Amino acid sequence: MTEPFALRDEMGPEKIIHFHDPSTGLQAILVIDNIAAGPAIGGCRMAVDVSLDECARLARAMTLKNAAAGLPHGGGKSVIVGDPKMPIADKEKLVRSFAHAIKDLTDYIVGPDMGTDETCMAWCHDVIGRCVGMPRAIGGIPLDEIGATGYGLSVAIEVATDYCDLDLKGATFAIQGFGSVGIHTARFLAAKGAVLVGAVDIHGGKVDPNGLDVDALMAIKGVGGRVLDLDQGRSIERDAIIDVECDIWVPAARPDVITMDNVHRLNTKIVAQGANIPASAEAELELEKRGTLILPDFIANAGGVICGAVEYLGSGEYQAMSMIAEKISANTRNVLESAKRDGVSSRQAAVTIANDRVRRAMSYRKTH
Ligand code: NAD
């Protein structure tokens, strides 16, 4: 956890806190990046190799995502050093120890992230009563179960069709990463009449230009199966999904999957970024040069954090879905209009909008 730390500017971070509790084995970091708009919301990541640099970059990404979504929340992130697959009793001890450590840091509201889940949030809630992404039984909205992020992506895609002369009914789409985000994106797009022509998970996947059966795929994944188990279509290796020609390509797996080495293989009208940072900056610019519309990650995949903010207010699933639709459709339109008007990339437009909002929020704060 020792490394040089570069990210420091007029926006933040507001606080960087290291925790070490030898009695529980807790080693953790919390970065509260910016709280001008309200208490920071951001996930708690558990992994063996987490670092301050990663935590700070993720905290800044949350500042921009929450600002872009127009939420009354700033951005923050926390990391706990540990193997998320450790015995459950050890994990509970560590997470409870972390929750105790952040008890008085009321500017930070914790949520789930890689390596933590709704059960971890229930433990945090038991200790500090200040978190999102909790189980339904204690008033949470299980965002992966309802498909908050996938729903938001489908809303962003529907708006984007107005900017590339595409009818969503009959439009073809492919999904890289048929997990929580990918499955629900497929479900909502299929409900709007779009046709899933390719899908992969980590094991590989299937392609069918006439359309894969989304319900059958969901049933397979629901019992822990693989996309390859679908009794339909042609089997492909997982990295071959980039070659599937379609109108909408949805990365929903890992970062850095579209690079200058493979961008020439992508043949699509829209790239809707479910995963965080799925494309390099150069590859994004190359796609835009070719006329592909990019829906930047922190605009298009904000459904989860919007859902968390609604949960924090004590409202329910219906309000969460309405808020996701309202905010993501307005923000996507705003980004695509600004990009067109100012002749900049959609990412540049999105970053400018988010930065402006954070600065405006900062201007309303007392200076002492
Ligand atoms: P998940 O673990 O439920 O699903 C990931 C899927 O990707 C799995 O099906 C896995 O088999 C597949 N996969 C992994 N590596 C792959 C590879 N190399 N090629 C093809 N498929 C691969 O995760 P998720 O919650 O759906 O999140 C997916 C991405 O979206 C992550 O980058 C996450 O950070 C981002 N994200 C998630 C949310 C959310 O609400 N869950 C919100 C914002 C962003």
Side-chain angles (χ1 to χ4, degrees):
M1 280 211 295
T2 54
E3 67 288 309
F5 174 63
L7 179 64
R8 259 193 197 97
D9 57 23
E10 75 286 359
M11 264 189 209
E14 169 112 6
K15 287 192 181 101
I16 301 170
I17 301 140
H18 289 257
F19 304 97
H20 180 216
D21 183 346
S23 70
T24 59
L26 176 73
Q27 280 193 76
I29 305 170
L30 167 62
V31 175
I32 299 177
D33 184 54
N34 187 293
I35 52 164
I41 290 193
C44 175
R45 178 166 291 194
M46 185 184 289
V48 288
D49 57 353
V50 284
S51 66
L52 170 58
D53 189 56
E54 178 182 3
C55 189
R57 284 194 295 125
L58 291 166
R60 175 56 54 87
M62 289 310 299
T63 298
L64 296 182
K65 186 185 273 200
N66 293 344
L71 298 175
H73 293 287
K77 201 83 179 186
S78 53
V79 294
I80 301 177
V81 180
D83 178 357
K85 295 202 179 342
M86 70 179 73
I88 192 79
D90 296 346
K91 190 166 183 175
E92 178 169 355
K93 191 163 119 187
L94 211 51
V95 171
R96 283 182 178 275
S97 172
F98 173 72
H100 273 292
I102 63 168
K103 192 169 188 157
D104 296 327
L105 295 161
T106 51
D107 284 338
Y108 175 60
I109 300 159
V110 61
D113 195 75
M114 264 170 53
T116 61
D117 58 11
E118 58 184 45
T119 304
C120 297
M121 292 309 112
W123 297 327
C124 287
H125 182 256
D126 188 38
V127 178
I128 56 172
R130 195 179 69 239
C131 56
V132 295
M134 300 182 297
R136 217 189 279 277
I138 54 171
I141 310 178
L143 61 98
D144 279 338
E145 191 184 309
I146 65 171
T149 303
Y151 176 59
L153 266 175
S154 75
V155 168
I157 290 166
E158 190 162 18
V159 170
T161 58
D162 288 348
Y163 292 79
C164 59
D165 197 20
L166 183 67
D167 188 352
L168 195 48
K169 198 166 165 31
T172 54
F173 69 102
I175 304 260
Q176 180 195 47
F178 210 71
S180 172
V181 173
I183 289 171
H184 289 290
T185 305
R187 176 165 74 89
F188 287 111
L189 285 181
K192 293 175 202 262
V195 181
L196 177 67
V197 292
V200 291
D201 57 26
I202 198 160
H203 308 287
K206 291 283 184 157
V207 171
D208 189 336
N210 296 317
L212 296 165
D213 185 337
V214 174
D215 289 339
L217 266 177
M218 285 175 60
I220 288 168
K221 295 303 280 187
V223 293
R226 310 165 311 163
V227 175
L228 278 170
D229 298 333
L230 181 71
D231 189 16
Q232 186 205 346
R234 177 171 59 83
S235 300
I236 57 166
E237 300 210 340
R238 70 173 188 221
D239 291 344
I241 191 74
I242 199 160
D243 301 309
V244 175
E245 193 180 328
C246 56
D247 297 314
I248 305 152
W249 201 82
V250 182
R254 306 297 310 272
D256 304 320
V257 294
I258 311 171
T259 65
M260 287 310 277
D261 293 334
N262 63 9
V263 67
H264 60 279
R265 289 164 57 188
L266 201 50
N267 187 356
T268 188
K269 293 191 171 100
I270 299 173
V271 173
Q273 301 185 340
N276 293 316
I277 346 171
S280 70
E282 302 79 35
E284 270 188 9
L285 289 176
E286 175 62 26
L287 283 168
E288 289 198 314
K289 230 190 280 169
R290 282 169 21 197
T292 307
L293 211 57
I294 307 278
L295 299 179
D297 43 14
F298 71 92
I299 299 294
N301 74 16
V305 75
I306 296 171
C307 185
V310 171
E311 175 185 337
Y312 193 67
L313 285 173
S315 298
E317 217 170 295
Y318 175 77
Q319 287 90 343
M321 292 310 231
S322 313
M323 176 91 91
I324 290 168
E326 183 189 318
K327 285 192 177 294
I328 293 195
S329 81
N331 290 338
T332 305
R333 205 169 284 288
N334 194 4
V335 164
L336 296 179
E337 285 293 336
S338 303
K340 201 162 69 169
R341 186 191 60 228
D342 301 337
V344 296
S345 69
S346 53
R347 179 166 298 276
Q348 186 54 52
V351 168
T352 302
I353 289 168
N355 279 337
D356 286 352
R357 283 196 185 152
V358 176
R359 290 210 176 87
R360 217 170 318 141
M362 289 170 76
S363 75
Y364 299 136
R365 299 194 81 206
K366 285 188 189 161
T367 49
H368 61 277

